[in-house]
Amino acid sequence: EDGSDTSDMYRCTKMASDIRRSSIFAWGFIDLAEIIRNLTNRHIVLLNLSCKSINKAIQDDTQCSETVKSRLDACRASHCKMIKRMKLNWNGLQWVNPPPLTDMCLLSLYSFAGCTMCVAKRFDKSVEVVFEGFGSRLCKDCYMSETVGEFVIERVYNLSLQDCRHLPHRIIECQFNKSRRREQRRFLKRDIEKMAGKHLSPDEIEMEAFGANVTKN
């Protein structure tokens, strides 16, 4: 077996079909929680996606929910260690108004790899950085091009920060020198563009931001 997402999905779909057809599942005698405990995170997610009746059974079972939550907590801890190894600055990070995602949705973000936003790196197994507050797993290029900061929002999209505070965003503590620090808010570009009714490429944003900066100075 090749271990790909496709073959994994096939195996989970077959498993779900076998469980669903089983009379003991219909009568509630099958121990779904035990099955979940013995599956990998990826297979739990794929089994959940494979069948509506299995999905509902997992959601309604307290032990299944506890298993998913404990797996998610372990994934978060592992992800924090990975972030530290990559020497990414995760200090001073706060998420504001994160999207309402279920534990199963979050487990899927942590259990797979590849950028959820760009086609080029969608199957790149090295892309593992999860931005939980955006509900995305982004490569560095997409993070830089698909999120925007305060200056761009105000000067390029002509929106006030007060208008955008209800949107999901992250607050980063920036340290310019030993004595000067400030907080910066960063938003998803698509959310800002939806509000502004203005769609710009990264190059257009850079040009307009440069022009706004020149005007400011």
Side-chain angles (χ1 to χ4, degrees), residues 13-193:
T13 302
K14 186 177 186 306
M15 183 192 303
S17 178
D18 292 343
I19 293 173
R20 190 176 66 253
R21 290 173 184 171
S22 172
S23 59
I24 58 175
F25 174 70
W27 287 97
F29 295 135
I30 197 164
D31 191 349
L32 188 59
E34 183 64 26
I35 293 174
I36 292 293
R37 278 194 295 271
N38 291 317
L39 292 176
T40 65
N41 293 342
R42 287 162 57 95
H43 286 105
I44 289 175
V45 173
L46 292 172
L47 180 63
N48 179 70
L49 293 172
S50 62
C51 169
K52 288 183 179 179
S53 57
I54 297 292
N55 175 297
K56 186 175 186 309
I58 291 174
Q59 290 180 5
D60 293 344
D61 190 289
T62 302
Q63 290 186 4
C64 285
S65 298
E66 289 176 352
T67 297
V68 170
K69 183 166 180 24
S70 67
R71 296 288 190 91
L72 176 57
D73 289 342
C75 283
R76 283 194 179 115
S78 177
H79 187 258
C80 285
K81 290 180 182 178
M82 181 193 76
I83 292 298
K84 289 178 181 178
R85 286 197 304 270
M86 294 171 69
K87 300 189 185 318
L88 294 179
N89 182 13
W90 227 243
N91 296 327
L93 171 66
Q94 300 176 56
W95 286 111
V96 183
N97 301 326
L101 299 173
T102 65
D103 286 349
M104 187 67 79
C105 288
L106 289 171
L107 184 63
S108 71
L109 280 179
Y110 284 105
S111 301
F112 293 83
C115 182
T116 54
M117 196 164 285
C118 73
V119 175
K121 296 185 180 177
R122 187 157 294 167
F123 303 105
D124 184 347
K125 300 300 181 183
S126 67
V127 179
E128 298 174 328
V129 181
V130 176
F131 293 85
E132 194 170 304
F134 290 147
S136 300
R137 186 175 51 252
L138 304 177
C139 63
K140 182 179 178 181
D141 291 341
C142 278
Y143 175 73
M144 296 305 296
S145 65
E146 299 298 335
T147 64
V148 291
E150 298 175 8
F151 181 82
V152 169
I153 289 170
E154 292 178 325
R155 299 285 175 159
V156 176
Y157 289 99
N158 300 315
L159 295 173
S160 72
L161 281 179
Q162 195 61 39
D163 293 335
C164 305
R165 284 181 182 267
H166 68 285
L167 297 171
H169 62 278
R170 68 190 293 227
I171 299 176
I172 310 166
E173 186 181 83
C174 301
Q175 183 166 348
F176 298 96
N177 51 50
K178 288 184 178 180
S179 60
R180 187 184 170 208
R181 292 184 181 182
R182 65 161 294 187
E183 290 183 342
Q184 289 275 358
R185 296 172 188 267
R186 200 155 184 94
F187 297 75
L188 278 177
K189 178 172 171 279
R190 65 190 178 199
D191 290 341
I192 297 301
E193 291 191 333

